Amino acid sequence: MASPQAIAETVMHIAHLADSLGYTHGLKPSQWTALRYFAGAASQQRTVSAFADFHATTRGAASQMVEVLVNKELLVRVPVPEDRRVMQLHPTEKARDLLRFDPLQEFSSVISTLSVADQTRLGETLSDLLSGLLTKRQGN
């Protein structure tokens, strides 16, 4: 049985390799993450604040990320009719075209070679790890 330290090192190595795939098509890995988020989020969750919560980052960092994607014409700000102070962020056609080349597909294709049972166990285990890390980060 591998030690928790060895498992943590393996997970970090996998994360590093997967992250390195994201330097493509003029984007950084974090920009791909944001683009994926806004492309898949429900309309009411397409805000800087919701993205910051999802990405476990500050509102300022999330806002800077959004600004880069707006300047690259990958996101567009749309005022919410019920509250025009709130801006939703929607992917542009250019963004949807770019997402066809999402580097995460290369990583997910490797995962797809696992059996369904292994994929299920891996998904559950990684969800548990993520929950534990988020709890520690929040100081609970």
Side-chain angles (χ1 to χ4, degrees):
M1 184 170 117
S3 70
Q5 180 69 28
I7 293 168
E9 288 173 6
T10 300
V11 169
M12 291 301 293
H13 191 70
I14 290 168
H16 174 73
L17 288 172
D19 191 57
S20 70
L21 296 172
Y23 290 94
T24 184
H25 293 281
L27 296 179
K28 297 177 181 177
S30 57
Q31 293 167 344
W32 279 106
T33 298
L35 201 54
R36 270 185 230 110
Y37 173 83
F38 288 109
S43 290
Q44 65 272 20
Q45 294 298 308
R46 291 181 179 183
T47 64
V48 170
S49 295
F51 173 67
D53 291 344
F54 166 79
H55 200 48
T57 190
T58 65
R59 303 289 187 270
S63 183
Q64 288 175 352
M65 174 75 58
V66 162
E67 193 60 33
V68 168
L69 294 175
V70 167
N71 289 337
K72 288 180 180 263
E73 299 178 347
L74 296 171
L75 292 178
V76 62
R77 291 182 180 94
V78 177
V80 174
E82 304 82 44
D83 185 351
R84 296 186 77 59
R85 296 171 296 169
V86 177
M87 290 287 180
Q88 290 179 339
L89 296 143
H90 295 272
T92 63
E93 191 64 36
K94 180 179 174 182
R96 284 188 281 283
D97 289 343
L98 190 60
L99 282 165
R100 293 189 337 225
F101 304 100
D102 185 346
L104 195 62
Q105 292 174 17
E106 189 174 338
F107 187 29
S108 64
S109 73
V110 173
I111 294 169
S112 73
T113 66
L114 301 173
S115 70
V116 172
D118 284 347
Q119 288 181 44
T120 300
R121 275 192 299 279
L122 180 60
E124 290 169 351
T125 300
L126 291 175
S127 290
D128 291 346
L129 286 172
L130 179 59
S131 293
L133 286 171
L134 289 172
T135 298
K136 283 194 172 289
R137 182 180 180 144
Q138 295 168 351
N140 294 333

PDB file of all heavy atoms in Angstrom, residues 47-65:
ATOM      1  N   THR A  47     -21.145  34.722 -12.937  1.00  0.00           N
ATOM      2  CA  THR A  47     -20.697  36.001 -12.400  1.00  0.00           C
ATOM      3  C   THR A  47     -19.265  35.836 -11.885  1.00  0.00           C
ATOM      4  O   THR A  47     -18.799  34.720 -11.635  1.00  0.00           O
ATOM      5  CB  THR A  47     -21.585  36.465 -11.237  1.00  0.00           C
ATOM      6  OG1 THR A  47     -21.463  35.537 -10.154  1.00  0.00           O
ATOM      7  CG2 THR A  47     -23.047  36.602 -11.655  1.00  0.00           C
ATOM      8  N   VAL A  48     -18.597  36.957 -11.713  1.00  0.00           N
ATOM      9  CA  VAL A  48     -17.242  36.928 -11.166  1.00  0.00           C
ATOM     10  C   VAL A  48     -17.253  36.284  -9.783  1.00  0.00           C
ATOM     11  O   VAL A  48     -16.411  35.441  -9.471  1.00  0.00           O
ATOM     12  CB  VAL A  48     -16.637  38.348 -11.109  1.00  0.00           C
ATOM     13  CG1 VAL A  48     -15.340  38.358 -10.319  1.00  0.00           C
ATOM     14  CG2 VAL A  48     -16.407  38.891 -12.516  1.00  0.00           C
ATOM     15  N   SER A  49     -18.215  36.660  -8.943  1.00  0.00           N
ATOM     16  CA  SER A  49     -18.275  36.120  -7.582  1.00  0.00           C
ATOM     17  C   SER A  49     -18.471  34.612  -7.567  1.00  0.00           C
ATOM     18  O   SER A  49     -17.805  33.895  -6.813  1.00  0.00           O
ATOM     19  CB  SER A  49     -19.406  36.776  -6.789  1.00  0.00           C
ATOM     20  OG  SER A  49     -19.134  38.137  -6.610  1.00  0.00           O
ATOM     21  N   ALA A  50     -19.370  34.117  -8.402  1.00  0.00           N
ATOM     22  CA  ALA A  50     -19.621  32.677  -8.453  1.00  0.00           C
ATOM     23  C   ALA A  50     -18.385  31.942  -8.957  1.00  0.00           C
ATOM     24  O   ALA A  50     -18.035  30.871  -8.438  1.00  0.00           O
ATOM     25  CB  ALA A  50     -20.828  32.372  -9.333  1.00  0.00           C
ATOM     26  N   PHE A  51     -17.700  32.521  -9.946  1.00  0.00           N
ATOM     27  CA  PHE A  51     -16.476  31.895 -10.438  1.00  0.00           C
ATOM     28  C   PHE A  51     -15.406  31.894  -9.355  1.00  0.00           C
ATOM     29  O   PHE A  51     -14.708  30.898  -9.165  1.00  0.00           O
ATOM     30  CB  PHE A  51     -15.958  32.580 -11.702  1.00  0.00           C
ATOM     31  CG  PHE A  51     -14.617  32.058 -12.128  1.00  0.00           C
ATOM     32  CD1 PHE A  51     -14.480  30.752 -12.581  1.00  0.00           C
ATOM     33  CD2 PHE A  51     -13.489  32.851 -12.042  1.00  0.00           C
ATOM     34  CE1 PHE A  51     -13.239  30.253 -12.957  1.00  0.00           C
ATOM     35  CE2 PHE A  51     -12.249  32.358 -12.411  1.00  0.00           C
ATOM     36  CZ  PHE A  51     -12.122  31.062 -12.867  1.00  0.00           C
ATOM     37  N   ALA A  52     -15.274  32.993  -8.632  1.00  0.00           N
ATOM     38  CA  ALA A  52     -14.274  33.059  -7.555  1.00  0.00           C
ATOM     39  C   ALA A  52     -14.541  31.984  -6.507  1.00  0.00           C
ATOM     40  O   ALA A  52     -13.607  31.316  -6.049  1.00  0.00           O
ATOM     41  CB  ALA A  52     -14.284  34.445  -6.918  1.00  0.00           C
ATOM     42  N   ASP A  53     -15.795  31.803  -6.151  1.00  0.00           N
ATOM     43  CA  ASP A  53     -16.141  30.754  -5.184  1.00  0.00           C
ATOM     44  C   ASP A  53     -15.797  29.377  -5.726  1.00  0.00           C
ATOM     45  O   ASP A  53     -15.204  28.553  -5.033  1.00  0.00           O
ATOM     46  CB  ASP A  53     -17.634  30.815  -4.829  1.00  0.00           C
ATOM     47  CG  ASP A  53     -17.990  32.044  -4.011  1.00  0.00           C
ATOM     48  OD1 ASP A  53     -17.080  32.692  -3.454  1.00  0.00           O
ATOM     49  OD2 ASP A  53     -19.188  32.367  -3.949  1.00  0.00           O
ATOM     50  N   PHE A  54     -16.164  29.121  -6.971  1.00  0.00           N
ATOM     51  CA  PHE A  54     -15.884  27.826  -7.600  1.00  0.00           C
ATOM     52  C   PHE A  54     -14.385  27.558  -7.671  1.00  0.00           C
ATOM     53  O   PHE A  54     -13.913  26.459  -7.384  1.00  0.00           O
ATOM     54  CB  PHE A  54     -16.485  27.795  -9.012  1.00  0.00           C
ATOM     55  CG  PHE A  54     -15.971  26.666  -9.857  1.00  0.00           C
ATOM     56  CD1 PHE A  54     -16.468  25.378  -9.698  1.00  0.00           C
ATOM     57  CD2 PHE A  54     -14.969  26.877 -10.798  1.00  0.00           C
ATOM     58  CE1 PHE A  54     -15.990  24.319 -10.471  1.00  0.00           C
ATOM     59  CE2 PHE A  54     -14.490  25.832 -11.571  1.00  0.00           C
ATOM     60  CZ  PHE A  54     -15.000  24.556 -11.404  1.00  0.00           C
ATOM     61  N   HIS A  55     -13.624  28.576  -8.061  1.00  0.00           N
ATOM     62  CA  HIS A  55     -12.188  28.425  -8.280  1.00  0.00           C
ATOM     63  C   HIS A  55     -11.385  28.601  -6.987  1.00  0.00           C
ATOM     64  O   HIS A  55     -10.166  28.486  -7.000  1.00  0.00           O
ATOM     65  CB  HIS A  55     -11.734  29.429  -9.338  1.00  0.00           C
ATOM     66  CG  HIS A  55     -10.443  29.114 -10.000  1.00  0.00           C
ATOM     67  ND1 HIS A  55     -10.133  27.872 -10.502  1.00  0.00           N
ATOM     68  CD2 HIS A  55      -9.352  29.888 -10.240  1.00  0.00           C
ATOM     69  CE1 HIS A  55      -8.915  27.905 -11.028  1.00  0.00           C
ATOM     70  NE2 HIS A  55      -8.423  29.105 -10.887  1.00  0.00           N
ATOM     71  N   ALA A  56     -12.083  28.863  -5.882  1.00  0.00           N
ATOM     72  CA  ALA A  56     -11.455  29.058  -4.567  1.00  0.00           C
ATOM     73  C   ALA A  56     -10.368  30.132  -4.642  1.00  0.00           C
ATOM     74  O   ALA A  56      -9.228  29.932  -4.225  1.00  0.00           O
ATOM     75  CB  ALA A  56     -10.911  27.739  -4.030  1.00  0.00           C
ATOM     76  N   THR A  57     -10.756  31.285  -5.195  1.00  0.00           N
ATOM     77  CA  THR A  57      -9.821  32.391  -5.324  1.00  0.00           C
ATOM     78  C   THR A  57     -10.506  33.680  -4.862  1.00  0.00           C
ATOM     79  O   THR A  57     -11.682  33.672  -4.502  1.00  0.00           O
ATOM     80  CB  THR A  57      -9.315  32.508  -6.779  1.00  0.00           C
ATOM     81  OG1 THR A  57      -8.227  33.434  -6.818  1.00  0.00           O
ATOM     82  CG2 THR A  57     -10.408  32.952  -7.732  1.00  0.00           C
ATOM     83  N   THR A  58      -9.783  34.763  -4.869  1.00  0.00           N
ATOM     84  CA  THR A  58     -10.354  36.040  -4.458  1.00  0.00           C
ATOM     85  C   THR A  58     -11.185  36.642  -5.583  1.00  0.00           C
ATOM     86  O   THR A  58     -11.006  36.291  -6.758  1.00  0.00           O
ATOM     87  CB  THR A  58      -9.245  37.049  -4.085  1.00  0.00           C
ATOM     88  OG1 THR A  58      -8.480  37.346  -5.270  1.00  0.00           O
ATOM     89  CG2 THR A  58      -8.338  36.497  -2.983  1.00  0.00           C
ATOM     90  N   ARG A  59     -12.062  37.559  -5.230  1.00  0.00           N
ATOM     91  CA  ARG A  59     -12.868  38.257  -6.235  1.00  0.00           C
ATOM     92  C   ARG A  59     -11.956  39.058  -7.175  1.00  0.00           C
ATOM     93  O   ARG A  59     -12.180  39.125  -8.368  1.00  0.00           O
ATOM     94  CB  ARG A  59     -13.884  39.209  -5.589  1.00  0.00           C
ATOM     95  CG  ARG A  59     -14.848  38.579  -4.590  1.00  0.00           C
ATOM     96  CD  ARG A  59     -15.872  37.703  -5.271  1.00  0.00           C
ATOM     97  NE  ARG A  59     -16.888  37.222  -4.364  1.00  0.00           N
ATOM     98  CZ  ARG A  59     -16.814  36.083  -3.671  1.00  0.00           C
ATOM     99  NH1 ARG A  59     -15.739  35.338  -3.737  1.00  0.00           N
ATOM    100  NH2 ARG A  59     -17.811  35.687  -2.905  1.00  0.00           N
ATOM    101  N   GLY A  60     -10.894  39.640  -6.600  1.00  0.00           N
ATOM    102  CA  GLY A  60      -9.968  40.434  -7.403  1.00  0.00           C
ATOM    103  C   GLY A  60      -9.260  39.591  -8.456  1.00  0.00           C
ATOM    104  O   GLY A  60      -9.156  39.992  -9.616  1.00  0.00           O
ATOM    105  N   ALA A  61      -8.768  38.424  -8.050  1.00  0.00           N
ATOM    106  CA  ALA A  61      -8.087  37.528  -8.999  1.00  0.00           C
ATOM    107  C   ALA A  61      -9.058  37.039 -10.067  1.00  0.00           C
ATOM    108  O   ALA A  61      -8.713  36.981 -11.256  1.00  0.00           O
ATOM    109  CB  ALA A  61      -7.460  36.350  -8.264  1.00  0.00           C
ATOM    110  N   ALA A  62     -10.277  36.707  -9.656  1.00  0.00           N
ATOM    111  CA  ALA A  62     -11.290  36.256 -10.613  1.00  0.00           C
ATOM    112  C   ALA A  62     -11.638  37.382 -11.582  1.00  0.00           C
ATOM    113  O   ALA A  62     -11.796  37.156 -12.786  1.00  0.00           O
ATOM    114  CB  ALA A  62     -12.535  35.770  -9.881  1.00  0.00           C
ATOM    115  N   SER A  63     -11.742  38.584 -11.071  1.00  0.00           N
ATOM    116  CA  SER A  63     -12.061  39.733 -11.910  1.00  0.00           C
ATOM    117  C   SER A  63     -10.962  39.983 -12.945  1.00  0.00           C
ATOM    118  O   SER A  63     -11.256  40.281 -14.117  1.00  0.00           O
ATOM    119  CB  SER A  63     -12.251  40.969 -11.027  1.00  0.00           C
ATOM    120  OG  SER A  63     -12.624  42.072 -11.810  1.00  0.00           O
ATOM    121  N   GLN A  64      -9.703  39.847 -12.539  1.00  0.00           N
ATOM    122  CA  GLN A  64      -8.592  40.016 -13.480  1.00  0.00           C
ATOM    123  C   GLN A  64      -8.636  38.948 -14.577  1.00  0.00           C
ATOM    124  O   GLN A  64      -8.402  39.236 -15.754  1.00  0.00           O
ATOM    125  CB  GLN A  64      -7.257  39.955 -12.747  1.00  0.00           C
ATOM    126  CG  GLN A  64      -6.979  41.174 -11.909  1.00  0.00           C
ATOM    127  CD  GLN A  64      -5.695  41.037 -11.095  1.00  0.00           C
ATOM    128  OE1 GLN A  64      -5.083  39.978 -11.044  1.00  0.00           O
ATOM    129  NE2 GLN A  64      -5.300  42.129 -10.449  1.00  0.00           N
ATOM    130  N   MET A  65      -8.951  37.711 -14.182  1.00  0.00           N
ATOM    131  CA  MET A  65      -9.051  36.612 -15.140  1.00  0.00           C
ATOM    132  C   MET A  65     -10.154  36.907 -16.160  1.00  0.00           C
ATOM    133  O   MET A  65      -9.963  36.744 -17.368  1.00  0.00           O
ATOM    134  CB  MET A  65      -9.370  35.312 -14.413  1.00  0.00           C
ATOM    135  CG  MET A  65      -9.641  34.153 -15.322  1.00  0.00           C
ATOM    136  SD  MET A  65      -8.157  33.520 -16.044  1.00  0.00           S
ATOM    137  CE  MET A  65      -7.281  33.115 -14.551  1.00  0.00           C
TER     138      MET A  65
END
